[in-house]
Amino acid sequence: MHNTDSTLSNSKNIEGITEQQVLIAGGGHVGLSFALLLAHHGIASTLLEKNSYPTISPNDDSKRSHYLDSRNTALSRRTVQIYQEIGLWAELQSHACRIDAVQISEQGSFGRAQLNKAKEKVESFGQVMENAWLGRKLLLAAQEEPLITLIDHANVTAVEQQRDGVTLSFSYYGEEAHEQQLQASVLVACDGRDSTVRELLNIGTTTYDYEQTAIVGVVETDKPHEHVAIERFSPAGPLAVLPLTDPEGDGNEDYQKGNRRSVVWVCPKGEDTQYLDDDAHFLATLQQAFGQRAGTFVTAGRRGAYPLTRVLADKQVAGRCVIMGNAAHTLHPVAGQGFNLCMRDAHVLAQMMSAQVLRGEDIGDTQLLKRYEKARVSDQKRVIRFCDAVVHGFTHPNPAVKLARNVALVAFDKLPNIKPLVANYAMGLKS
């Protein structure tokens, strides 16, 4: 469904077409999205990805034979608006399931809170989309964009900065391995938590091990999800259950009414094996944590386990190089804020580079990049604090802390004027 309150244009701005080039290291969802944002402003980029991209075409069958086996991303309303701006949302929306309500509670406690789209007067609180579909559409759009050059099987080996540019060396594994170099005005590293570029630039990180593992998968229940996202805190760990479309998804409202749900379950490190290997035990533990509020959990797809560590780059700009995405800030998934924060970063930098082009100035100018870094500090710090407050506040076993958080949930649910502020923040509309 289209986001009805966006007035953003879907047309490409070609006024700022420039010969200045951007190198992007890392071709995942953030790297591809940033390249498409740049192209929208007429800025060319070359994107290098260490893995091999799959061969796909616009006519490929979009159905997935193993439709229970996928990870998913919750897209905030601001992220949806950004994809609308570059004309991509029409391609994405058929596999997006909107969130109409959010329920928050703790097993065995009195605290309850709910957000409802009608009361908050919004079209939705966001959309949930399978990563496989998002990645497929981003890759197709990048392949069809003449301002984007894609190079996969590329292993970055060195970064050298000059006064007026940056040189990136990489090994390309095609028919035979060989070294190559590329030069550009600026390099943006979107190459993940264990960023090679960040290491080559000698940028340190501040890390925190949560001693937790996220179990991610898809389940089916006997009760339709009704577009409700559920955040449930239990002794087994915090759980998020989000609505999904049926696997085919063609934009028809009927596909929005299914029984598929995305599950993110955070458990203590070392306990994940029992939930990965035994479907019955996994479903039974889910059922115990949720009761019947989501219906009966009847089917579980194959699941993945992901150790949780917060990784923050000590700085996000070094000369003509920018650290972005998970390379800049890898966050806890419990609040679903990580990817959306990355998208806001990418959108701001693309806009700032576009304005620089229109002024006829250097898009790799260090002062420009430093202004970008400063502009994003407030939003980033706020999201990081929020994520950690949720993680530590709802996992602390102290009875006094448990009482305080349940009182806070009741206050959040009952006191006027609090919900709109929190809702706007979660939707990425306050940054």
Side-chain angles (χ1 to χ4, degrees):
M1 176 176 288
H2 285 286
N3 191 324
T4 55
D5 36 47
S6 171
T7 59
L8 298 172
S9 170
N10 285 337
S11 62
K12 181 181 292 185
N13 170 17
I14 61 174
E15 295 179 359
I17 287 182
T18 173
E19 293 183 0
Q20 297 186 73
Q21 286 268 347
V22 179
L23 289 174
I24 303 172
H29 292 170
V30 176
L32 288 167
S33 296
F34 182 58
L36 291 165
L37 281 163
L38 291 175
H40 176 72
H41 292 290
I43 300 174
S45 64
T46 299
L47 190 151
L48 296 95
E49 167 58 35
K50 67 179 180 180
N51 296 310
S52 176
Y53 281 131
T55 301
I56 56 176
S57 74
N59 297 321
D60 285 345
D61 187 350
S62 64
K63 298 180 182 179
R64 292 170 297 282
S65 58
H66 301 291
Y67 72 93
L68 286 175
D69 178 22
S70 61
R71 284 185 289 170
N72 309 278
T73 296
L75 307 178
S76 71
R77 284 185 54 228
R78 183 68 189 113
T79 296
V80 170
Q81 289 175 351
I82 291 171
Y83 283 132
Q84 285 178 321
E85 182 178 339
I86 60 177
L88 194 59
W89 185 245
E91 292 292 321
L92 292 174
Q93 67 172 343
S94 65
H95 282 61
C97 191
R98 70 179 190 273
I99 298 174
D100 290 347
V102 180
Q103 297 177 355
I104 308 168
S105 62
E106 181 172 7
Q107 184 181 359
S109 300
F110 61 86
R112 299 282 190 279
Q114 177 163 313
L115 290 167
N116 183 279
K117 73 170 187 177
K119 290 185 178 180
E120 304 309 321
K121 299 178 181 179
V122 297
E123 180 269 339
S124 72
F125 294 110
Q127 306 274 347
V128 186
M129 183 175 297
E130 293 172 79
N131 283 11
W133 180 256
L134 177 59
R136 177 182 184 271
K137 286 300 184 180
L138 291 174
L139 180 56
L140 278 171
Q143 288 174 340
E144 295 171 353
E145 172 54 64
L147 288 174
I148 299 175
T149 300
L150 296 174
I151 303 175
D152 59 359
H153 276 192
N155 182 39
V156 176
T157 57
V159 177
E160 182 180 352
Q161 300 200 59
Q162 298 85 36
R163 183 181 62 82
D164 59 351
V166 58
T167 301
L168 183 145
S169 302
F170 65 99
S171 298
Y172 173 69
Y173 297 97
E175 294 182 359
E176 58 182 40
H178 55 281
E179 295 285 329
Q180 288 194 19
Q181 287 187 333
L182 290 171
Q183 291 184 317
S185 302
V186 62
L187 168 63
V188 179
C190 304
D191 52 345
R193 184 187 69 175
D194 302 317
S195 169
T196 298
V197 172
R198 190 184 63 211
E199 183 177 349
L200 289 170
L201 292 171
N202 294 314
I203 296 176
T205 60
T206 302
T207 64
Y208 176 81
D209 189 344
Y210 291 101
E211 298 293 331
Q212 295 175 333
T213 300
I215 300 168
V216 181
V218 176
V219 299
E220 281 190 341
T221 59
D222 66 350
K223 176 182 176 181
H225 54 64
E226 296 180 333
H227 300 278
V228 176
I230 304 173
E231 193 83 34
R232 180 76 162 159
F233 298 91
S234 77
L239 295 132
V241 175
L242 309 176
L244 287 175
T245 61
D246 282 355
E248 293 85 356
D250 63 356
N252 189 307
E253 181 69 14
D254 289 341
Y255 286 101
Q256 298 268 339
K257 299 176 180 177
N259 298 48
R260 300 174 69 233
R261 305 177 192 236
S262 167
V263 173
V264 180
W265 185 349
V266 177
C267 67
K269 186 182 293 185
E271 294 186 7
D272 49 288
T273 302
Q274 61 180 313
Y275 302 123
L276 293 175
D277 297 341
D278 188 337
D279 285 4
H281 178 64
F282 176 67
L283 292 170
T285 310
L286 277 179
Q287 200 70 63
Q288 183 179 16
F290 272 87
Q292 288 297 315
R293 60 180 34 82
T296 300
F297 292 89
V298 295
T299 308
R302 193 167 58 184
R303 299 167 291 286
Y306 305 89
L308 299 181
T309 304
R310 184 184 66 218
V311 180
L312 306 178
D314 292 344
K315 59 181 179 179
Q316 296 177 34
V317 171
R320 289 177 171 270
C321 299
V322 178
I323 309 300
M324 185 181 285
N326 282 347
H329 36 68
T330 300
L331 308 182
H332 197 287
V334 68
Q337 293 293 311
F339 178 70
N340 297 299
L341 178 62
C342 295
M343 285 297 295
R344 297 199 294 276
D345 290 344
H347 186 258
V348 168
L349 183 56
Q351 286 188 317
M352 293 179 74
M353 286 183 169
S354 174
Q356 191 83 336
V357 166
L358 293 175
R359 291 191 293 265
E361 298 178 1
D362 180 8
I363 59 174
D365 178 70
T366 299
Q367 295 306 311
L368 168 73
L369 303 183
K370 286 289 187 181
R371 288 199 300 273
Y372 155 76
E373 184 179 36
K374 183 177 181 180
R376 296 302 301 144
V377 166
S378 177
D379 190 19
Q380 291 174 0
K381 286 186 175 180
R382 190 161 52 236
V383 170
I384 292 165
R385 286 195 299 266
F386 175 71
C387 290
D388 279 354
V390 172
V391 173
H392 296 301
F394 279 93
T395 57
H396 202 293
N398 185 289
V401 176
K402 183 175 181 178
L403 175 62
R405 65 187 177 232
N406 277 271
V407 170
L409 277 178
V410 172
F412 169 73
D413 199 51
K414 301 298 182 183
L415 294 178
N417 302 323
I418 295 180
K419 284 185 179 181
L421 293 174
V422 175
N424 280 339
Y425 174 72
M427 291 184 289
L429 300 180
K430 295 290 185 181
S431 60

